[in-house]
Short mmCIF file of all heavy atoms in Angstrom, two decimals:
data_model
loop_
_atom_site.label_atom_id
_atom_site.label_comp_id
_atom_site.label_asym_id
_atom_site.label_seq_id
_atom_site.Cartn_x
_atom_site.Cartn_y
_atom_site.Cartn_z
N ASP K 165 -3.44 6.42 -32.83
CA ASP K 165 -4.76 6.39 -33.45
C ASP K 165 -5.66 5.40 -32.71
O ASP K 165 -5.19 4.60 -31.90
CB ASP K 165 -4.66 6.07 -34.94
CG ASP K 165 -4.06 4.71 -35.21
OD1 ASP K 165 -4.48 3.74 -34.54
OD2 ASP K 165 -3.18 4.61 -36.06
N LEU K 166 -6.94 5.49 -32.98
CA LEU K 166 -7.93 4.78 -32.18
C LEU K 166 -7.68 3.27 -32.13
O LEU K 166 -7.70 2.65 -31.08
CB LEU K 166 -9.32 5.07 -32.72
CG LEU K 166 -10.44 4.47 -31.87
CD1 LEU K 166 -10.49 5.15 -30.52
CD2 LEU K 166 -11.76 4.58 -32.59
N ASP K 167 -7.38 2.70 -33.30
CA ASP K 167 -7.21 1.26 -33.38
C ASP K 167 -6.05 0.81 -32.50
O ASP K 167 -6.17 -0.13 -31.71
CB ASP K 167 -6.96 0.90 -34.85
CG ASP K 167 -6.97 -0.58 -35.06
OD1 ASP K 167 -7.85 -1.24 -34.47
OD2 ASP K 167 -6.08 -1.08 -35.77
N MET K 168 -4.93 1.50 -32.63
CA MET K 168 -3.74 1.17 -31.86
C MET K 168 -3.98 1.40 -30.38
O MET K 168 -3.56 0.64 -29.52
CB MET K 168 -2.58 2.03 -32.38
CG MET K 168 -1.23 1.63 -31.85
SD MET K 168 -0.92 -0.12 -31.83
CE MET K 168 0.12 -0.31 -33.23
N ARG K 169 -4.74 2.46 -30.10
CA ARG K 169 -5.05 2.79 -28.71
C ARG K 169 -5.81 1.64 -28.04
O ARG K 169 -5.49 1.22 -26.95
CB ARG K 169 -5.89 4.07 -28.71
CG ARG K 169 -6.20 4.59 -27.35
CD ARG K 169 -7.07 5.79 -27.46
NE ARG K 169 -6.41 6.88 -28.15
CZ ARG K 169 -6.86 8.12 -28.17
NH1 ARG K 169 -7.99 8.42 -27.55
NH2 ARG K 169 -6.22 9.06 -28.80
N LEU K 170 -6.81 1.14 -28.75
CA LEU K 170 -7.62 0.05 -28.18
C LEU K 170 -6.77 -1.18 -27.94
O LEU K 170 -6.88 -1.85 -26.92
CB LEU K 170 -8.77 -0.29 -29.13
CG LEU K 170 -9.82 0.81 -29.30
CD1 LEU K 170 -10.83 0.43 -30.37
CD2 LEU K 170 -10.53 1.07 -27.98
N ARG K 171 -5.88 -1.47 -28.90
CA ARG K 171 -5.04 -2.66 -28.75
C ARG K 171 -4.07 -2.52 -27.58
O ARG K 171 -3.89 -3.45 -26.80
CB ARG K 171 -4.26 -2.92 -30.04
CG ARG K 171 -5.00 -3.93 -30.93
CD ARG K 171 -4.11 -4.44 -31.98
NE ARG K 171 -4.02 -3.48 -33.07
CZ ARG K 171 -3.13 -3.56 -34.06
NH1 ARG K 171 -2.25 -4.54 -34.07
NH2 ARG K 171 -3.12 -2.68 -35.02
N LEU K 172 -3.45 -1.35 -27.47
CA LEU K 172 -2.48 -1.16 -26.38
C LEU K 172 -3.17 -1.13 -25.02
O LEU K 172 -2.61 -1.60 -24.04
CB LEU K 172 -1.68 0.12 -26.61
CG LEU K 172 -0.47 -0.03 -27.53
CD1 LEU K 172 0.39 1.21 -27.46
CD2 LEU K 172 0.37 -1.24 -27.16
N GLN K 173 -4.39 -0.58 -24.98
CA GLN K 173 -5.14 -0.60 -23.72
C GLN K 173 -5.29 -2.04 -23.23
O GLN K 173 -5.07 -2.35 -22.07
CB GLN K 173 -6.52 0.01 -23.90
CG GLN K 173 -6.52 1.52 -23.98
CD GLN K 173 -7.82 2.07 -24.52
OE1 GLN K 173 -8.78 1.32 -24.72
NE2 GLN K 173 -7.85 3.36 -24.76
N GLU K 174 -5.65 -2.90 -24.17
CA GLU K 174 -5.83 -4.31 -23.85
C GLU K 174 -4.52 -4.91 -23.33
O GLU K 174 -4.48 -5.60 -22.31
CB GLU K 174 -6.31 -5.04 -25.12
CG GLU K 174 -6.76 -6.47 -24.91
CD GLU K 174 -7.82 -6.59 -23.81
OE1 GLU K 174 -8.72 -5.72 -23.72
OE2 GLU K 174 -7.70 -7.55 -23.04
N GLU K 175 -3.42 -4.60 -24.03
CA GLU K 175 -2.12 -5.15 -23.63
C GLU K 175 -1.71 -4.66 -22.24
O GLU K 175 -1.20 -5.43 -21.42
CB GLU K 175 -1.05 -4.78 -24.66
CG GLU K 175 -1.14 -5.66 -25.90
CD GLU K 175 -0.24 -5.19 -27.03
OE1 GLU K 175 0.76 -4.49 -26.75
OE2 GLU K 175 -0.52 -5.53 -28.19
N VAL K 176 -1.93 -3.38 -22.01
CA VAL K 176 -1.57 -2.82 -20.69
C VAL K 176 -2.38 -3.51 -19.60
O VAL K 176 -1.86 -3.87 -18.54
CB VAL K 176 -1.80 -1.29 -20.66
CG1 VAL K 176 -1.88 -0.77 -19.23
CG2 VAL K 176 -0.69 -0.59 -21.41
#
Side-chain angles (χ1 to χ4, degrees):
Chain K
D165 62 46
L166 185 67
D167 188 42
M168 190 43 103
R169 184 183 297 192
L170 294 174
R171 265 195 280 168
L172 276 191
Q173 284 165 6
E174 189 54 40
E175 282 172 23
V176 162

